[in-house]
Amino acid sequence: MSSANYVAHMTDLVTFGETMLRLSPPDGERIESSSTLEFRVAGAESNVAIAAHRLGAKAAWASKLPDSPLGRRVVAGLRQFGIDTEIAWTDEGRQGTYYLEHGTEPRGTNVIYDRADAAVTTTEPDDLPLGSIRDADIFYTSGITPALSSTLKSTVGEVLRDAQATGVTTAFDVNYRSKLWSPTEARDCLTDLFPAIDVLVTAERDARDVLGRAGDAEDIAHGLADEWEFETVVVTRGSAGSLALHDGERFEQSAFDTKTVDPIGTGDAFVGAFLACRLDGTDVQTALEYGSATAALKRTIPGDVVVVTREEVERVLNSDVNEISR
Amino acid sequence: MSSANYVAHMTDLVTFGETMLRLSPPDGERIESSSTLEFRVAGAESNVAIAAHRLGAKAAWASKLPDSPLGRRVVAGLRQFGIDTEIAWTDEGRQGTYYLEHGTEPRGTNVIYDRADAAVTTTEPDDLPLGSIRDADIFYTSGITPALSSTLKSTVGEVLRDAQATGVTTAFDVNYRSKLWSPTEARDCLTDLFPAIDVLVTAERDARDVLGRAGDAEDIAHGLADEWEFETVVVTRGSAGSLALHDGERFEQSAFDTKTVDPIGTGDAFVGAFLACRLDGTDVQTALEYGSATAALKRTIPGDVVVVTREEVERVLNSDVNEISR
Amino acid sequence: MSSANYVAHMTDLVTFGETMLRLSPPDGERIESSSTLEFRVAGAESNVAIAAHRLGAKAAWASKLPDSPLGRRVVAGLRQFGIDTEIAWTDEGRQGTYYLEHGTEPRGTNVIYDRADAAVTTTEPDDLPLGSIRDADIFYTSGITPALSSTLKSTVGEVLRDAQATGVTTAFDVNYRSKLWSPTEARDCLTDLFPAIDVLVTAERDARDVLGRAGDAEDIAHGLADEWEFETVVVTRGSAGSLALHDGERFEQSAFDTKTVDPIGTGDAFVGAFLACRLDGTDVQTALEYGSATAALKRTIPGDVVVVTREEVERVLNSDVNEISR
Amino acid sequence: MSSANYVAHMTDLVTFGETMLRLSPPDGERIESSSTLEFRVAGAESNVAIAAHRLGAKAAWASKLPDSPLGRRVVAGLRQFGIDTEIAWTDEGRQGTYYLEHGTEPRGTNVIYDRADAAVTTTEPDDLPLGSIRDADIFYTSGITPALSSTLKSTVGEVLRDAQATGVTTAFDVNYRSKLWSPTEARDCLTDLFPAIDVLVTAERDARDVLGRAGDAEDIAHGLADEWEFETVVVTRGSAGSLALHDGERFEQSAFDTKTVDPIGTGDAFVGAFLACRLDGTDVQTALEYGSATAALKRTIPGDVVVVTREEVERVLNSDVNEISR
Amino acid sequence: MSSANYVAHMTDLVTFGETMLRLSPPDGERIESSSTLEFRVAGAESNVAIAAHRLGAKAAWASKLPDSPLGRRVVAGLRQFGIDTEIAWTDEGRQGTYYLEHGTEPRGTNVIYDRADAAVTTTEPDDLPLGSIRDADIFYTSGITPALSSTLKSTVGEVLRDAQATGVTTAFDVNYRSKLWSPTEARDCLTDLFPAIDVLVTAERDARDVLGRAGDAEDIAHGLADEWEFETVVVTRGSAGSLALHDGERFEQSAFDTKTVDPIGTGDAFVGAFLACRLDGTDVQTALEYGSATAALKRTIPGDVVVVTREEVERVLNSDVNEISR
Amino acid sequence: MSSANYVAHMTDLVTFGETMLRLSPPDGERIESSSTLEFRVAGAESNVAIAAHRLGAKAAWASKLPDSPLGRRVVAGLRQFGIDTEIAWTDEGRQGTYYLEHGTEPRGTNVIYDRADAAVTTTEPDDLPLGSIRDADIFYTSGITPALSSTLKSTVGEVLRDAQATGVTTAFDVNYRSKLWSPTEARDCLTDLFPAIDVLVTAERDARDVLGRAGDAEDIAHGLADEWEFETVVVTRGSAGSLALHDGERFEQSAFDTKTVDPIGTGDAFVGAFLACRLDGTDVQTALEYGSATAALKRTIPGDVVVVTREEVERVLNSDVNEISR
């Protein structure tokens, strides 16, 4: 018997960003001919908070939402997975949504955003729980957030700097989305934010296409760390694994084999698990391993969110998974 | 054996307006706690076109839609019921949606619009199939359309005047929506349009609350017909029936008993059936009867659309319905 | 724009009891021939916490759960509705479940308990968050809890006395369940608890059949209040309304008309709303009205839980509900 | 603890007829716009066997089926409810189906048969388990069976006569279906069969429209019994109850109030329960009561089949049903 | 913004054949134990019309259908995908259906036809829109159609000759179905039709097993073209790609990798896309490429129909598909 | 046309064990976040009876069940697949259930038992149909049954010895379940039973981990046969195939390739088919082949049960399966 582990009295990790309603036809149907939709809640920063919580961190997600059944659906959909939410409720602005069509090869999975003019796009620093952020160990957001509005560009910068200035570790995933902005716009904005960031995560592809980096993953990590003085740089490479550079030291981790049910949220699961490990003092190598195993499990789970326990992650790490456990 | 009746080579009725995606939790669930949504297509003017088609008219719906899976979902969802569509496809603007929560007494059915900045709001007359409209017998739109944008206010007026000038009968339902505009805004706009309208349909409540009319349904009909020289005024009164004033003559019709499965679209079913009857030369009294029976059937059918045959409507008119027909 | 209202930093109301997994065939199917089950979370005391929270209270539910996917399902299913949970996780004992068959007249709704040996039945006072309970304004449990095991009989008594002794208002619903114990067993146990209870809620039928009271609802309330010195007695009478006796003053409230979708949880919705009103200082008469309106709304919502907002309750109170709100 | 009651080593009741696959859109949807169908098994004679079994009889259904997944679906769908099946499997002929649209007032429930050329239509006496029929106490079929083919007309007559000749009680429900034959065809055929029938059940409406009887239910029963020397005549009158004439004695029974979920199979539930009572020696009045209560329960259950226990029927008879039983 | 592309005022392609209702248990369930069925519309010739339409052709499907909800379901299910329908409605004959069980290796996907005596089997040339066919650029049917009845054998021959005589290109897919006729019957019938066919498509296996051809795909194409003077012969080889011989010139195309969700309709998607390309003047090599890519996409989509856009096909051709497009 | 094959008047095979209700979230969802459950019936010994029946044996399953809708659900769920049931109904004890989460690699499929205190655990020999068992050719149970209670340990031993003594062949699958008992407990119990067993089936892994055997499958089989004088030992090796030792002769069979939809019940399908072959006199080698093909088919079918026909098994054996059979 242990004491309650789902009530976070102090928060280790606060994340901020947009969480959307996710609408997707079941079983590979096309939107055009579907008569039902699966209805879920999804957003990179809340995904990260949930992944970190599932690995043991006390995590909260902060944002601005419309005071409507749609906004309440978002909160319900996140709280069920164990995190806390700190919400600025508003009567202005929409609830962002996205439509998702799952497609197997050669169709691919297609995302159709309907997120313009979301309430979150008007978030100013005062809408956010700055006290909670300053009390946290890590504050996290991603490159999606400043891509959503000029107000958010400014808010993200201000909050990152404020957090860093009060001793909070700031973590950031580049998360480039080509349907939101161009590589040039992204680079200009993100490099303005980089001085306020301690832990940078980037897909190798984003590092090349958006940040203009060349060479292999290690070259990319060194280049970024040298130029921007990040404490930690993590380069993710999909099925090719991941690499971290931390205080000048280099760590590598391969990816686990997985049979994919839903690929969305893989990167967020990786980051959330990595941060949870860093929060409890786990070394960088082990944090990469947990990130990698958590990411592999994510791909077996429908939806954006990695609904797992730490024990399940550890069974993957220990290769202790049977076809049937009974 | 008869020849094909689903391919309209000439069109009797063209309607214009917004058609939305309708997202509703099944079985009375709340949006906040639902994990699936029923996914349908719904809009007052396409509802009217479909109802008219089901009663025998050649009907088409015209509008502007985003060139996306969501816009294509709208066309697929309308074409399946037999009408034709004439679409201006665009890369600008959203696909309007609405969320619907069915609630029994005392909860009521709740509609949450998410239709701001829909592609249709930028429709100019040239986006519409003016040739088809001028060739039609009736052109129909409703008070929802001008409520959506100032562009649409102007477009609706222009198209109504153009149609009327070329000899097309123009029909219009007040269809006041309190979530779109105030009664004063509505009255100012609609009375500007009234000179271009031949057949006006209004709920008794809208006549009172929006058009500022007093008295009973007959007073309302006379008052409107006298002031605006409508050829026909139809006043609908829900379960209390309907009343028409046509060329000075008054017709009345009671409502049919019905056990409601989905109340949305009742008025549109009434109007579509009424117009279909008028199109094939049926007298006003009989048209009211068909309208009333079609409206009663609508309430037994999930979704906005009255998926019936003329024979089914006539069985209601003839009281020839058994508990089980086998 | 208001600040976050879903994160309770201090708790007004703590409830304690068993929450089960609820398994029910859809659409009136029989268990014997169903191939799917709806899967929900349900328990009188968590229902009360949620109802109170929906009306504005900061509420938490405390219990003991198996450390398994089933126990986690319970927490997820409660947190989504906004309350906090304080759980003693254990490897001993089952997760209670119940199967529910919805039946219309003359079949009735049938509950099949499968709750023997649930983890909660071994709850000792130390498993509960006694600090949170002592800091709360109200502590609530119901007659179901001591019916589950002799350990719980003793724990419930101890916790009620501890709470009352530290100045917490204790509230209790008789909630007699004939499938759990006999009327005699119930009366013996409950009357032992009564001295530690400030606010007693009882169905009129339970007062007669279990507590052995005679006369009308007012007689019952007076009799109970006189014998046991309750600060407040509430007697609920189903569609006949409710009556409260508070500090010797009598209040009555009729029931609102409702078309029932799911009758389970009606009483809990009433109690939760009543307590929420009392917590924010609302007078007893108004609290009965909110209780009654919340109970009426509950019956329109599938599942045990009253997923509403305070605004929706007030629209019922103000008779401001249309067939369709758009 | 009692011994197994689902394995019938000897059979009290054998029924013979067509059982179809029943395909129906969910939730009141129209066939034209539905994308899923509920898939059940349904037929008057198997319905009767199941109803009798649920009340305690050892019952079997005999028929001819195509040796295909569709034919096997029929057997699976009947065996699950506890009866035995005796099947002549064949490679000739189709599996009959029917499509069902549930409609509330004023739409009505609509049945679309697709049963032409079903395997059963070629059933000759030798395809049937004549030994089992001769060993049974009651053999039952209905007026649907001879309506299906001229082969069946002849087979039904032959089997009824053979059964009666060996001392088996023969029971028969008129069950007129206007989509299968005309009243005149039906009367000619049925009156040929009447000499071989001991227990005749007829809806009052069929007695008038098909058998050409006048007067009230009692007149009808007397007229039929006098003319054809039936041992028992039962006249069913829907919500107006039922009347039996047995060995010259008259019995009446009112119908129980019911809130209908699915009206199909009401009459078969009545007949099955009535026969089960007669099989175990229950008097005619009580048999009518069980029939009536079983019919009322049927209407609360989706599908053709009355999935109940004898205890549930008796609770209806004893008015011992609560809104919630827990 | 472009003008409407879903309303075909003139028709490039008319196809003729049977379209059935397709009934399939979800998720790999067996028919025998399934309680729901997916309900779709499917037929080789309507599949081809839809595939051609999705690639840009104006396409219509002509047939004879029962005037019933089932026949209307077929029209609704085809019109939603954008094609027009020209229907001879009749009160004679059934609506054909087929049951489909999806099975993974080693079970295979199993089709159970229930299509005997379908209304379409009595189609005479006058039931068809001969004017529309003569105005079209291509008329298409397949070897399934003449296999259904002797009337259809004669009708297909007459219509093919009539079309060819008026300058319409006639296209035909061998589409051998072993559950409909023997190879010998098929060969005798088809070779009678060959003189009236310009474009012949055949699976390599059908060419061997039915048409008695030997050698590799190129030998087959040359042999057929030489003997029957086809303008174009296309030999499809499943995952081994396809080969065309056009005016003596040979073209080859490999198949695209695909992860199959539903294999039905692959060949029809290929043919429809190939014909659409030929209709807009695309060269044979490119037409094969579009056919191959469209066929690959089909296998990712549930149902018989290839619900894609031309842009999606071109992304496959250009290898411009990501795991997630966002 | 053949006579009925679904009514077993004499029984070849009787099996005894626990059958549970199986509750599983659809589509790979987690229990924690699922709102519906698939509801099936599952148990090793009833799985074996069904598999044997599908291959042609007359099979029955005997057990003890609670007299409740849950117990009746078990009987309904088994009878639909064609076997007979012989049940001791009781008011004592629960209906066992298990929750199943399907997970792809690297998650694995997870079984959560909730089967403590099931009614079956109190089964004494007199609760079982000893007459039917003694009349059968084979009696079968598995190592799960004695693991459930000490009463069952004793009952299983007694019934095996009684059956063997009356000339019935006794068959037994080790079926080790680590969530029920330790390897040591299992070995001690099972070796007590071995003298009463004629045909022993064991997974190679269980032979090593539980029975303490070393060497390859052949060594294991010889060792077991030598020590315990089994007539037949079958060692199953998953995708590596199976090996049998019968009267000193050795037989081997490879596994068939399969794309797994549901792995549960694979071994039971193998055993049931193997026993059915042995019952009808098929030689051991062929019986292994049928077992292997049936096991491969099982993995393509959702649920525990192998819903196939003998013809389908033989098509796998004859490699006569196409991607689409039509």
Side-chain angles (χ1 to χ4, degrees), chain A residues 6 27 38 40 54 80-82 256-261 293 296-297 299-303 307-309 312 315-316 321-326, chain F residues 26-30 32-34 100-113 175-179 205 259-260 263-265 299:
Chain A
Y6 274 105
D27 300 322
E38 296 177 0
R40 300 176 192 267
R54 307 302 296 203
Q80 78 180 103
F81 297 115
F256 288 84
D257 286 341
T258 184
K259 190 170 160 207
T260 300
V261 166
L297 284 171
R299 297 177 75 89
T300 72
I301 297 170
V307 190
V308 292
T309 61
E312 288 176 317
R315 279 203 290 274
V316 173
V321 178
N322 294 318
E323 189 189 31
I324 309 172
S325 167
R326 62 188 171 187
Chain F
D27 300 323
E29 294 280 347
R30 304 303 316 253
E32 185 180 333
S33 53
S34 188
L100 178 76
E101 287 187 312
H102 287 289
T104 55
E105 188 192 0
R107 181 147 63 97
T109 288
N110 189 32
V111 165
I112 299 140
Y113 290 133
N175 258 351
Y176 176 67
R177 296 289 181 267
S178 66
K179 293 183 177 178
R205 196 172 69 168
K259 190 172 160 204
T260 301
I264 310 270
R299 298 178 74 89

Side-chain angles (χ1 to χ4, degrees), chain A residues 222 225 230-231 244-251:
Chain A
H222 274 295
F230 297 116
E231 183 184 325
L245 196 72
H246 176 72
D247 289 344
E249 198 177 353
R250 173 184 162 287
F251 306 88

Side-chain angles (χ1 to χ4, degrees), chain D residues 3-314:
Chain D
S3 64
N5 65 3
Y6 275 103
V7 178
H9 294 288
M10 284 191 326
T11 306
D12 301 320
L13 170 67
V14 176
T15 76
F16 161 51
E18 179 176 24
T19 295
M20 294 177 282
L21 299 175
R22 165 178 155 166
L23 301 156
S24 55
D27 300 323
E29 294 280 346
R30 302 307 312 257
I31 286 168
E32 184 179 335
S33 52
S34 187
S35 58
T36 54
L37 295 171
E38 296 177 1
F39 189 31
R40 300 176 192 267
V41 161
E45 294 81 6
S46 52
N47 292 348
V48 166
I50 291 169
H53 170 72
R54 306 303 296 205
L55 273 287
K58 293 171 180 161
W61 171 80
S63 196
K64 193 170 181 179
L65 288 174
D67 188 5
S68 73
L70 307 182
R72 286 193 292 276
R73 178 69 182 84
V74 169
V75 167
L78 297 180
R79 280 183 54 87
Q80 80 181 102
F81 297 116
I83 63 169
D84 283 315
T85 56
E86 303 214 32
I87 309 301
W89 296 100
T90 175
D91 292 331
E92 306 295 317
R94 300 177 52 232
Q95 171 56 46
T97 62
Y98 80 94
Y99 293 80
L100 178 75
E101 287 187 311
H102 287 290
T104 56
E105 187 192 359
R107 180 146 64 98
T109 288
N110 190 33
V111 165
I112 299 140
Y113 290 133
D114 185 17
R115 67 202 295 183
D117 299 319
V120 73
T121 60
T122 64
T123 310
E124 311 245 6
D126 285 353
D127 292 322
L128 293 175
L130 296 175
S132 298
I133 292 171
R134 289 171 193 147
D135 285 349
D137 292 314
I138 300 185
F139 171 71
Y140 170 86
T141 186
S142 89
I144 297 169
T145 314
L148 298 174
S149 72
S150 58
T151 304
L152 280 174
K153 272 192 193 68
S154 146
T155 297
V156 164
E158 219 170 301
V159 176
L160 281 170
R161 284 186 295 270
D162 179 273
Q164 199 184 43
T166 52
V168 179
T169 298
T170 55
F172 190 91
D173 187 337
V174 168
N175 257 351
Y176 176 67
R177 295 289 181 265
S178 66
K179 293 183 175 175
L180 294 180
W181 54 0
S182 71
T184 307
E185 289 172 304
R187 186 173 51 240
D188 290 351
C189 170
L190 298 181
T191 51
D192 276 0
L193 300 173
F194 280 178
I197 291 168
D198 300 315
V199 179
L200 183 79
V201 183
T202 178
E204 188 179 27
R205 198 173 67 169
D206 289 353
R208 289 185 207 287
D209 297 350
V210 179
L211 304 180
R213 296 287 154 178
D216 62 14
E218 189 169 357
D219 297 335
I220 288 168
H222 273 295
L224 289 167
D226 291 351
E227 183 166 356
W228 302 102
E229 299 184 6
F230 297 117
E231 182 185 327
T232 313
V233 175
V234 181
V235 181
T236 59
R237 307 170 62 212
S239 59
S242 54
L243 177 144
L245 196 72
H246 176 72
D247 288 344
E249 198 177 351
R250 172 184 162 285
F251 305 87
E252 267 194 285
Q253 174 63 34
S254 59
F256 288 84
D257 286 341
T258 184
K259 191 171 158 205
T260 301
V261 166
D262 187 333
I264 311 270
T266 307
D268 302 329
F270 176 93
V271 173
F274 180 84
L275 295 179
C277 287
R278 298 297 293 147
L279 279 163
D280 66 14
T282 304
D283 64 89
V284 173
Q285 181 64 50
T286 307
L288 282 185
E289 289 169 13
Y290 274 81
S292 188
T294 306
L297 283 171
K298 166 61 211 56
R299 297 177 76 88
T300 72
I301 298 170
D304 276 49
V305 177
V306 62
V307 190
V308 292
T309 61
R310 190 176 180 98
E311 290 69 26
E312 289 175 317
V313 173
E314 290 170 351

Side-chain angles (χ1 to χ4, degrees), chain C residues 203-238:
Chain C
E204 189 180 24
R205 197 173 68 169
D206 289 352
R208 286 185 210 287
D209 298 350
V210 179
L211 303 180
R213 296 288 153 176
D216 63 13
E218 188 170 355
D219 297 336
I220 288 168
H222 273 296
L224 289 168
D226 290 352
E227 181 167 357
W228 302 103
E229 298 186 6
F230 298 117
E231 182 185 327
T232 313
V233 175
V234 180
V235 180
T236 60
R237 307 170 59 212

Side-chain angles (χ1 to χ4, degrees), chain A residues 185-243:
Chain A
E185 288 172 305
R187 185 172 53 240
D188 290 352
C189 170
L190 297 182
T191 50
D192 276 359
L193 300 174
F194 280 179
I197 291 167
D198 300 315
V199 178
L200 184 79
V201 182
T202 179
E204 188 179 26
R205 194 171 71 169
D206 289 351
R208 289 187 208 286
D209 298 350
V210 179
L211 303 179
R213 295 288 153 177
D216 63 15
E218 188 170 357
D219 297 335
I220 288 168
H222 274 295
L224 289 168
D226 291 352
E227 181 167 356
W228 301 103
E229 299 186 6
F230 297 116
E231 183 184 325
T232 314
V233 175
V234 179
V235 181
T236 61
R237 306 170 61 211
S239 60
S242 55
L243 175 145

